[in-house]
């Protein structure tokens, strides 16, 4: 499956979400997770979003990252360490490298 063909329905299936529940209203959040995961992989690999379709093996990685973003919504883990996914996303988008995290702690 090409990455451009991924939908939030694929993420729901991957996460085994009960979308039959009338109170389920996370589609907007899932859209954000999917688009953020694509951009994260694009930045990490140094390729454009369009070029992602040439790498179908990354489809599963995007599902995993989308799921992680959906299920882990905390900045820090139980040991007061920065969420590893958040750290990775910030690292691939960091241009000043001044170490804001140490000031934040």
């Amino acid at each position: 499956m090409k990455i451009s063909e991924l939908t939030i329905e694929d993420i729901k299936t991957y996460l085994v979400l009960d979308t039959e529940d009338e109170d389920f209203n996370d589609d907007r959040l899932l859209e954000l997770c999917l688009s953020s995961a694509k951009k994260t992989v694009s930045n990490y690999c140094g390729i454009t979003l369009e070029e992602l379709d040439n790498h179908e093996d990354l489809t599963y990685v995007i599902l995993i990252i989308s799921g992680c973003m959906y299920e882990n919504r905390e900045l820090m883990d139980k040991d007061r360490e920065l969420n590893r996914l958040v750290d990775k996303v910030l690292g691939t988008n960091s241009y000043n490298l001044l170490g804001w995290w140490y000031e934040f702690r």
Side-chain angles (χ1 to χ4, degrees), residues 31-102:
E31 256 327 312
L32 175 63
C33 292
L34 178 58
S35 64
S36 295
K38 288 178 182 179
K39 188 64 178 168
T40 297
V41 172
S42 169
N43 286 343
Y44 186 84
C45 294
I47 57 179
T48 66
L49 290 171
E50 293 76 26
E51 292 173 316
L52 286 176
D53 273 348
N54 298 330
H55 304 274
E56 289 188 41
D57 54 330
L58 294 175
T59 303
Y60 191 64
V61 174
I62 290 175
L63 283 174
I64 292 170
I65 293 172
S66 297
C68 184
M69 288 177 170
Y70 180 78
E71 292 180 338
N72 301 301
R73 303 179 200 181
E74 299 294 325
L75 177 62
M76 293 189 239
D77 63 19
K78 63 183 176 189
D79 298 323
R80 285 198 41 83
E81 293 293 325
L82 185 62
N83 175 313
R84 292 178 76 184
L85 182 56
V86 170
D87 188 39
K88 182 63 73 182
V89 172
L90 290 174
T92 59
N93 287 285
S94 184
Y95 301 104
N96 63 13
L97 303 174
L98 293 177
W100 70 272
W101 170 241
Y102 295 103

Side-chain angles (χ1 to χ4, degrees), residues 10-28:
D10 297 316
I11 298 172
K12 290 175 185 178
T13 301
Y14 172 74
L15 293 173
V16 193
L17 295 177
D18 180 16
T19 56
E20 299 298 317
D21 181 2
E22 62 185 46
D23 291 332
F24 185 85
N25 193 20
D26 281 355
D27 286 357
R28 197 160 173 212

